Amino acid sequence: MLGSFLGSQKPGQTEAFRLPSSQGVSYWDIVWQQFKKNRFALVALWLLGPLFLLAIFAPLIASNQPFVFQTADGTIYPWFRWLFNPGEPVDFAFNMALVGFFPWVLVSGIWNSWAKRRGVPGRRRVFIVTLLYVLMILGLIVVFNFPTFRPGEEFWKPAFRPLNKYWARTFPEEEFQLRQRGEYVWALYPLIPLGPTEPSKARFQPPGYRTPPEQWEETNDWFPHLLGTDDQGRDVLVRMIYGTRISLSVGFVAVGLYLTIGIVLGAMAGYFGGLVDMLICRAIEVMMLFPTFFLILTLVAMLGSSIYIVMLVIGLTSWAGIARLTRGEVLKQRAIDYVAAARALGASHLRIIFRHILPNALSPALVAAPFGVAGAIITEASLSLLGVGVSLSAPSWGSLLRLAHENHTYWWLTVVPASAIFFTVTIFNLVGSGLRDAMDPRLRM
């Protein structure tokens, strides 16, 4: 009916948007049409793609592990071994995203072509291929961490993950020494042949610094430090690239956790009411009293620095606002006739909540999600700035700021990570602002 109405408008009439009368108009079609009108939000949404690709393809961009290392003794492939045995647990999840990326592109391309011929809407195709990628990553993580117990062995060991037999070898140094002795050696490295935790003697050097040839001790010493080095001579550009993984991990895992808790509890409170509503509302009020930042500081002092503590505390203490928003929307939806019709047809409470009410009550939670990701990134950077966030060796944007805080003359350690944090947080805030404007009828133009 809405499509026919829009199609019947006269050319001189003002309209918010126009869709062909032969197509159905859903709520998300309207939201997307309104979202596209906000050019800043649309550009920010497209910038999220390169940000995620940078995090996923970090080992292909920068690594001191060669793809191929060939000597007179034979040929080995250290990069592929490292891919399944990285130093940081967060890297393993992104490495599995890299392993599954190209098969996913192939399968998604074939399926998308088939689904397009069958008339599957584009929004549904995007949702399905995205869900397929997430499931593929989770499957790879499970497969390569699947433990098996072998008779005669004391511990459970991963069955399918190839062990890194070369973890103690420094290939750039080894290659340099072999060349000095005149022995045969050939190696192929990524675009930037430097690792995120690889130290050097070029400490606190400004952007563009290149180690003099007479001081070379490794074959990758020739590569210039485009964004300078830190207190241990580690390349700032490489640490910024790998730091993207930590920031995105903290943001999305923490927000995903508290969105799930908040939506479920808010839906139960709004739907059942009575005693259930009263208990959940009291729990919401209690959780809103918890100072997340200081709680993380306390747990870190007791348990030590860990990215998992940061994720869990943010996720377990920030759901109260989402629960209140969801509860209010469910209270409104519960009074509409379609809920009474579902009850009359004998639908269970769970089906009514998750199949009928929640799809119509998720707008506030979805709007809050991008702002929550931005807030979690700032929280992690602030904790790392204080030295109580992730481990000190992990490549984090906040840890670079901490080094600059100790000595303000190293300006690049302030400008580079601060610019990255500002850029990333601005992207998520613009997306959240555009989503809010698109979902609120009072803000539509």
Side-chain angles (χ1 to χ4, degrees):
M1 180 178 294
L2 181 57
S4 301
F5 172 75
L6 292 175
S8 62
Q9 285 184 328
K10 295 180 181 179
Q13 291 178 321
T14 302
E15 55 186 33
F17 56 87
R18 179 185 295 274
L19 291 174
S21 60
S22 59
Q23 297 181 2
V25 180
S26 69
Y27 170 72
W28 293 108
D29 291 325
I30 298 174
V31 169
W32 177 240
Q33 292 296 326
Q34 295 297 320
F35 185 86
K36 290 193 298 183
K37 292 182 177 181
N38 190 330
R39 294 186 178 180
F40 291 105
L42 188 62
V43 171
L45 181 64
W46 285 110
L47 287 176
L48 285 178
L51 192 64
F52 276 97
L53 290 177
L54 181 66
I56 293 173
F57 286 95
L60 286 175
I61 299 173
S63 177
N64 62 343
Q65 300 292 314
F67 296 118
V68 182
F69 192 79
Q70 191 176 71
T71 63
D73 297 329
T75 303
I76 57 177
Y77 307 93
W79 185 87
F80 297 96
R81 294 279 183 174
W82 174 89
L83 199 66
F84 294 94
N85 299 273
E88 296 293 331
V90 170
D91 287 330
F92 184 78
F94 280 95
N95 288 353
M96 293 304 98
L98 175 58
V99 170
F101 183 82
F102 295 104
W104 169 73
V105 170
L106 178 62
V107 172
S108 298
I110 296 173
W111 182 87
N112 183 67
S113 178
W114 175 85
K116 189 175 182 180
R117 291 197 301 267
R118 292 297 184 95
V120 179
R123 186 179 64 253
R124 185 176 300 176
R125 297 200 306 270
V126 171
F127 173 77
I128 291 176
V129 297
T130 304
L131 180 62
L132 174 64
Y133 190 39
V134 173
L135 293 176
M136 183 179 293
I137 295 172
L138 294 176
L140 289 171
I141 293 175
V142 171
V143 166
F144 289 108
N145 283 282
F146 185 78
T148 60
F149 183 74
R150 301 174 184 174
E153 295 184 355
E154 184 178 357
F155 301 102
W156 293 69
K157 294 185 177 180
F160 303 107
R161 184 192 298 187
L163 298 179
N164 187 6
K165 300 182 292 185
Y166 319 117
W167 64 271
R169 296 172 63 175
T170 306
F171 289 97
E173 181 180 357
E174 186 176 333
E175 181 185 1
F176 184 81
Q177 293 175 353
L178 290 174
R179 292 184 184 276
Q180 289 291 98
R181 294 197 298 263
E183 299 182 23
Y184 171 76
V185 60
W186 181 81
L188 177 63
Y189 290 87
L191 182 64
I192 303 176
L194 301 170
T197 59
E198 180 184 9
S200 69
K201 293 183 178 180
R203 298 176 180 177
F204 287 127
Q205 296 299 330
Y209 176 81
R210 186 194 297 266
T211 305
E214 61 273 10
Q215 299 180 13
W216 289 359
E217 296 180 353
E218 299 180 358
T219 52
N220 58 2
D221 284 339
W222 66 271
F223 196 87
H225 300 284
L226 300 178
L227 294 181
T229 61
D230 64 2
D231 61 328
Q232 297 185 28
R234 297 170 297 194
D235 189 82
V236 172
L237 174 60
V238 177
R239 291 183 67 80
M240 289 295 300
I241 293 174
Y242 280 84
T244 307
R245 293 181 158 193
I246 292 179
S247 296
L248 293 180
S249 298
V250 172
F252 278 88
V253 172
V255 170
L257 181 59
Y258 76 64
L259 275 181
T260 303
I261 297 173
I263 288 173
V264 171
L265 292 181
M268 292 176 60
Y271 179 79
F272 291 108
L275 180 61
V276 175
D277 186 22
M278 184 185 68
L279 292 175
I280 294 178
C281 285
R282 298 296 82 77
I284 291 174
E285 293 170 359
V286 171
M287 292 307 301
M288 293 185 72
L289 296 175
F290 276 95
T292 302
F293 194 82
F294 293 103
L295 181 60
I296 296 176
L297 292 178
T298 303
L299 291 177
V300 166
M302 296 171 57
L303 304 175
S305 299
S306 173
I307 189 175
Y308 300 109
I309 293 177
V310 177
M311 293 177 181
L312 285 176
V313 174
I314 295 176
L316 294 177
T317 59
S318 304
W319 55 265
I322 300 297
R324 293 183 66 180
L325 292 172
T326 306
R327 173 183 175 272
E329 286 296 313
V330 172
L331 283 173
K332 291 193 297 184
Q333 296 293 326
R334 189 181 65 174
I336 302 179
D337 292 340
Y338 75 86
V339 177
R343 289 174 179 165
L345 292 173
S348 64
H349 292 311
L350 290 178
R351 180 174 178 82
I352 293 175
I353 293 174
F354 292 100
R355 179 67 180 86
H356 298 288
I357 295 180
L358 271 185
N360 298 306
L362 285 179
S363 297
L366 294 179
V367 169
F371 295 109
V373 174
I377 291 174
I378 293 177
T379 300
E380 183 277 325
S382 302
L383 291 167
S384 297
L385 174 62
L386 297 176
V388 294
V390 298
S391 61
L392 296 179
S393 62
S396 169
W397 296 347
S399 62
L400 290 174
L401 286 174
R402 181 178 59 83
L403 295 176
H405 178 71
E406 297 173 356
N407 193 327
H408 297 288
T409 59
Y410 309 130
W411 58 267
W412 60 92
L413 295 179
T414 301
V415 174
V416 173
S419 300
I421 294 172
F422 173 79
F423 175 77
T424 305
V425 169
T426 301
I427 286 178
F428 283 104
N429 283 336
L430 286 174
V431 172
S433 178
L435 201 58
R436 179 199 60 201
D437 296 347
M439 288 184 170
D440 192 342
R442 295 170 298 180
L443 298 177
R444 293 178 187 166
M445 297 180 292

